[in-house]
Amino acid sequence: MKLNFDNQFAALGDKFSVSMKARPLPNAHMACINPLAAELIDLNLDDLKSDKALKFLSGHEIIAGAEPVAMVYSGHQFGGYSPRLGDGRGLLLGQVRNKHGKLWDIHLKGAGQTPFSRGADGRAVLRSTIREYLASEALHHLGIPTSRALCVISSDEPVMRESLERAAGLIRLSESHIRFGSFEYFYYTNQHDDLKKLADYVIDIHFPSLRGDPEPYDMMLLEIAGRTAQMIAQWQAYGFAHGVMNTDNMSILGQTFDYGPYGFMENFDPTYICNHSDDMGRYAFNKQPNIGLWNCLALAHALSPLISPATSELMRGHYQAKYFERYNKLMTQKLGLLKSRKKDAALVNELLSLLANHKIDYTIFFREFSDHLALPLILKEATSAFEQWFCNYKARWEKEKLSLKQRRKNMQAINPKYILRNYLAQNAIEQAENGDFSEVDKLLRLFKKPFDDQPEMDNYAHETPDWGRHLEISCSS
Ligand code: AMP
Ligand code: MG
């Protein structure tokens, strides 16, 4: 196996990360592999399936050029500052420059204890590994920026959570594992020279067009805030709840990052809390846009030694503008309206209230509404409340001067048929825990094309069965 390592982050030195070896996953097997992610680092499938790859990725061997490190960071968790987090169970195994010149982090989640483990076991369980594997790829194919997943490695090491489970490893790929909390660490420990060093690294590697800017750090903050706002606009439009939007889980690239107790909206409920451990509902679905801003303000505060005080305020306006621009566009597109008009926001909001009042499945509503210019069958007896809305909608839609065929095509391209419902993930996990990973593979293939009709997979587009509606997903992973 040949990988073109270029470990730029490790080269920043030991204030930024701790050089260390993974604790090997015992009896490791390559349980699931994702060929599309392998391409990102120019890895062919034979190489990925080789013994050498397994040994490297499961922590048994360090291959030439790799320099595993645990990254240092801190962050705001549920609103309170935690001064020292860091990779407590993950390692950046190395960075690979691909044939297009792009740098990819290869990160093993579940690599064993590090100096940042704070007494915990350093492992990840198979269940949470599969959840991240599936969700990150599902979001990617919906067009939402996200880290990627290369493979799941199973192991027979027992680990204790609420009950006894098995350890596993996830190989995550991302252009960066730097979080808002990476900057917070250097700010709150008064290491402002290193704060600047980190900012220069981020600009150099990720935002090279800012290199010559007279105010590079201010511009970097605006860039990160704009990306974050747009990512969250996409979450809201597709009905994705992240669950743990702590600043240590916010990527500086504005990518969906560190999947835990996430959830996709089923019966529409703006106050949906996907994380069973989030008692206060801090990260409820409808709070995500404001929490995103709160997190960007925390980042601005951490960058305060490098930026002008006015930039924080400017950033607030920029975030909101980017958020609403993207969100309004997506929502009107979901309704088949191409040119956004002023009154469209009201049409969207009225619809969302109706969906909430009648607890209608969000994904199925929009998909059925894409297929026909008529109220969807999913409404069942709830139709009368929707009829007035539909009249207004139709009058508005007629101004678009589109054929019905074109309407269907446009709307099907933005309203997915298939989303990763918790119960689908749960089924795949239960089979995987019995040693059968075929359902995970099947879901991965399905979510590669969430907008396409896949007739043999129709079952996977149905409403969630009763047993699958109340699965409790907690922080434990
Ligand atoms: P997370 O909730 O996964 O975003 O993790 C928050 C912090 O807890 C990070 O510093 C993780 O590295 C650490 N952490 C989570 N689970 C474990 C574990 N099983 N062992 C060690 N550290 C962990
Ligand atoms: Mg995390």
Side-chain angles (χ1 to χ4, degrees):
M1 180 172 65
K2 259 218 184 112
L3 288 167
N4 180 27
F5 284 103
D6 183 0
N7 304 310
Q8 298 272 340
F9 189 83
L12 283 175
D14 56 12
K15 287 206 179 141
F16 297 82
S17 61
V18 177
S19 172
M20 62 173 303
K21 280 192 187 130
R23 184 154 60 90
L25 281 161
N27 239 320
H29 285 281
M30 197 60 87
C32 314
I33 58 171
N34 176 14
L36 288 182
E39 280 175 24
L40 300 173
I41 50 171
D42 305 331
L43 202 55
N44 71 45
L45 284 188
D46 288 339
D47 278 345
L48 184 53
K49 288 176 185 165
S50 68
D51 195 44
K52 184 122 185 141
L54 179 64
K55 285 207 167 112
F56 170 53
L57 298 172
S58 62
H60 288 262
E61 243 175 43
I62 299 177
I63 58 173
E67 291 176 84
V69 294
M71 293 170 72
V72 176
Y73 55 86
S74 63
H76 280 85
Q77 298 184 306
F78 291 90
Y81 185 64
S82 303
R84 194 177 138 109
L85 295 169
D87 283 334
R89 58 166 165 179
L91 286 182
L92 176 60
L93 295 179
Q95 287 168 287
V96 167
R97 197 172 289 285
N98 73 10
K99 61 185 177 204
H100 306 294
K102 206 170 187 183
L103 204 56
W104 284 95
D105 289 2
I106 303 184
H107 177 101
L108 168 59
K109 190 167 180 175
Q113 286 176 321
T114 76
F116 309 110
S117 301
R118 294 171 293 151
D121 60 13
R123 290 304 194 201
V125 294
L126 183 62
R127 151 179 68 82
S128 65
T129 305
I130 290 174
R131 281 176 55 82
E132 173 155 349
Y133 180 75
L134 290 175
S136 57
E137 290 304 299
L139 262 73
H140 172 71
H141 293 289
L142 288 170
I144 305 177
T146 171
S147 60
R148 303 292 300 276
L150 177 67
C151 59
V152 172
I153 299 163
S154 65
S155 159
D156 62 3
E157 183 175 299
V159 289
M160 196 59 196
R161 296 293 181 264
E162 283 91 348
S163 59
L164 204 59
E165 299 189 47
R166 298 273 172 209
L170 175 80
I171 298 294
R172 177 161 72 192
L173 303 183
S174 171
E175 291 107 308
S176 177
H177 278 71
I178 298 175
R179 307 133 192 269
F180 289 15
S182 311
F183 285 103
E184 290 180 290
Y185 173 78
F186 291 105
Y187 172 72
Y188 286 101
T189 51
N190 264 315
Q191 303 182 77
H192 296 177
D193 289 347
D194 293 314
L195 181 78
K196 182 171 176 298
K197 203 168 158 190
L198 184 65
D200 287 334
Y201 172 91
V202 168
I203 288 172
D204 215 38
I205 306 267
H206 301 295
F207 309 122
S209 65
L210 302 182
R211 270 181 207 147
D213 196 282
E215 296 177 325
Y217 310 116
D218 305 70
M219 296 303 289
M220 178 184 80
L221 174 66
L222 293 181
E223 178 67 29
I224 295 172
R227 289 181 184 215
T228 303
Q230 296 195 56
M231 166 189 75
I232 296 175
Q234 288 178 282
W235 291 357
Q236 302 308 110
Y238 288 99
F240 176 77
H242 180 282
V244 199
M245 291 173 70
N246 294 336
T247 55
D248 53 303
N249 291 337
M250 300 293 291
S251 154
I252 50 104
L253 297 181
Q255 299 181 342
T256 316
F257 189 66
D258 230 357
Y259 291 77
Y262 63 81
F264 277 89
M265 188 63 76
E266 295 178 6
N267 296 356
F268 189 68
D269 171 9
T271 64
Y272 170 50
I273 302 165
C274 60
N275 178 356
H276 192 65
S277 321
D278 182 8
D279 301 323
M280 308 292 284
R282 178 179 172 87
Y283 299 135
F285 177 74
N286 58 0
K287 294 202 179 143
Q288 296 189 125
N290 272 335
I291 288 289
L293 176 58
W294 193 97
N295 289 342
C296 288
L297 288 166
L299 176 63
H301 188 66
L303 293 173
S304 57
L306 303 177
I307 64 177
S308 88
T311 305
S312 277
E313 261 326 291
L314 199 67
M315 188 273 289
R316 188 191 288 271
H318 181 68
Y319 178 96
Q320 281 162 343
K322 286 280 174 198
Y323 174 79
F324 282 113
E325 184 191 351
R326 191 67 184 264
Y327 178 74
N328 291 342
K329 182 141 200 258
L330 287 167
M331 293 311 290
T332 44
Q333 279 177 342
K334 282 176 80 68
L335 288 173
L337 308 173
L338 297 184
K339 299 169 215 94
S340 276
R341 298 181 184 212
K342 250 200 170 148
K343 283 189 187 157
D344 291 347
L347 201 63
V348 169
N349 290 336
E350 281 161 27
L351 174 62
L352 293 181
S353 305
L354 287 170
L355 293 176
N357 291 343
H358 296 273
K359 301 187 171 57
I360 305 299
D361 189 281
Y362 185 72
T363 302
I364 297 179
F365 176 89
F366 277 101
R367 185 67 182 195
E368 288 190 355
F369 199 48
S370 310
D371 298 342
H372 304 286
L373 179 57
L375 284 176
L377 294 174
I378 182 93
L379 296 181
K380 297 179 190 115
E381 62 282 6
T383 47
S384 65
F386 281 87
E387 269 157 17
Q388 185 57 47
W389 178 86
F390 183 65
C391 270
N392 296 339
Y393 168 80
K394 214 165 154 210
R396 167 65 185 87
W397 183 77
E398 275 156 6
K399 298 198 177 109
E400 292 287 326
K401 306 211 172 4
L402 273 182
S403 69
L404 283 175
K405 198 170 156 201
Q406 195 59 45
R407 177 184 183 272
R408 179 181 297 140
K409 191 164 168 247
N410 292 347
M411 287 176 73
Q412 285 184 345
I414 189 159
N415 293 312
K417 177 159 180 177
Y418 306 99
I419 53 145
L420 180 58
R421 294 169 189 272
N422 267 336
Y423 92 95
L424 292 175
Q426 188 61 27
N427 273 338
I429 288 165
E430 278 169 25
Q431 293 181 34
E433 283 175 340
N434 291 319
D436 176 3
F437 290 86
S438 60
E439 187 66 13
V440 181
D441 290 337
K442 194 172 181 183
L443 290 182
L444 193 78
R445 279 197 305 278
L446 174 68
F447 294 117
K448 250 193 227 176
K449 296 193 159 140
F451 301 104
D452 288 10
D453 276 318
Q454 303 181 46
E456 73 288 4
M457 298 298 284
D458 257 5
N459 285 346
Y460 291 77
H462 291 167
E463 269 189 282
T464 300
D466 283 340
W467 71 263
R469 286 184 188 276
H470 307 290
L471 297 171
E472 288 177 355
I473 312 292
S474 72
C475 264
S476 116
S477 58

